[in-house]
Every structure is written in structure tokens, then in C-alpha cells.
Amino acid sequence: MSDQYAAAAAAKREAVIQQRLAVLLPQRCELIDDSARHAGHEGARGGGAHYRLLIVSPAFLGHSRVARHRMVHEALGDLLRSAIHALSIRAMTPEEAALTSAIDS
């Protein structure tokens, strides 16, 4: 697979992921492709990508960390069985994100 084709496929996959996550009405959504760090890994050979996700949404208010992850998984649906091999999720409410930003400053 050429580098150009791979980049186009990755961009398309990421656009679909962002589109699916839109149902959670995120105020911030950062998707980082870590696939290059996993080159040679079985999931990478099978075409599945490795991602880190930071998503900030008021939809997470009142939900546990596990429930938030389930919400993300539900939004992504079948992508978790095909296009995504591994996904690290950090799901926060806007208030939590604001506190984290203040602490990180």
C-alpha cells in the first residue's frame, strides 16, 4: 500500500470516527492516531488502527468512567470490530476539562 493511499484511508477513517462521535455533542474531540507506534502488531497488520481519544461532552455529566466509555463504544459501533483495533479513551465533562486545564497550567 502506498503512503499516499494509506494517508487517505486514515483520513477517511478518522472522519468517520469523528462523525460517529458527534452524537455525543462534544465540545472538544481530539483523536490521535498511534498506529505507527504499533507497527508489526497483529492488529496493525489486520488494518485496524490504534487511537487515543480525548472527548469532552456535557453528555458525560453524572455518568461513571465505565458508562462514559460505553457511550463512546456505542457511538462507534461496528468500527470497533473493523477500523479500530485499539482505543484509549479519556472522556470528561466540560467542568472536569476546565479543572484539568487549570491544573496543567
Side-chain angles (χ1 to χ4, degrees):
M1 178 183 319
S2 75
D3 289 341
Q4 195 173 33
Y5 176 77
K12 182 177 178 182
R13 179 176 46 237
E14 290 172 22
V16 170
I17 292 169
Q18 295 279 0
Q19 190 175 43
R20 296 270 185 100
L21 292 171
V23 301
L24 297 171
L25 304 173
Q27 293 180 352
R28 182 174 170 195
C29 189
E30 295 179 20
L31 186 65
I32 300 162
D33 188 345
D34 272 343
S35 298
R37 294 178 58 203
H38 300 276
H41 180 273
E42 183 61 36
R45 285 193 296 269
H50 291 72
Y51 289 104
R52 281 184 288 142
L53 172 67
L54 168 62
I55 184 167
V56 177
S57 172
F60 298 136
L61 186 62
H63 292 282
S64 70
R65 188 171 126 206
V66 171
R68 295 173 187 193
H69 285 220
R70 285 184 182 141
M71 293 166 73
V72 169
H73 282 236
E74 186 176 312
L76 295 174
D78 63 321
L79 294 176
L80 291 169
R81 293 182 296 280
S82 58
I84 301 171
H85 175 73
L87 179 65
S88 170
I89 303 168
R90 187 165 183 201
M92 297 186 285
T93 65
E95 293 78 15
E96 291 166 340
L99 287 174
T100 300
S101 295
I103 291 169
D104 292 342
S105 301

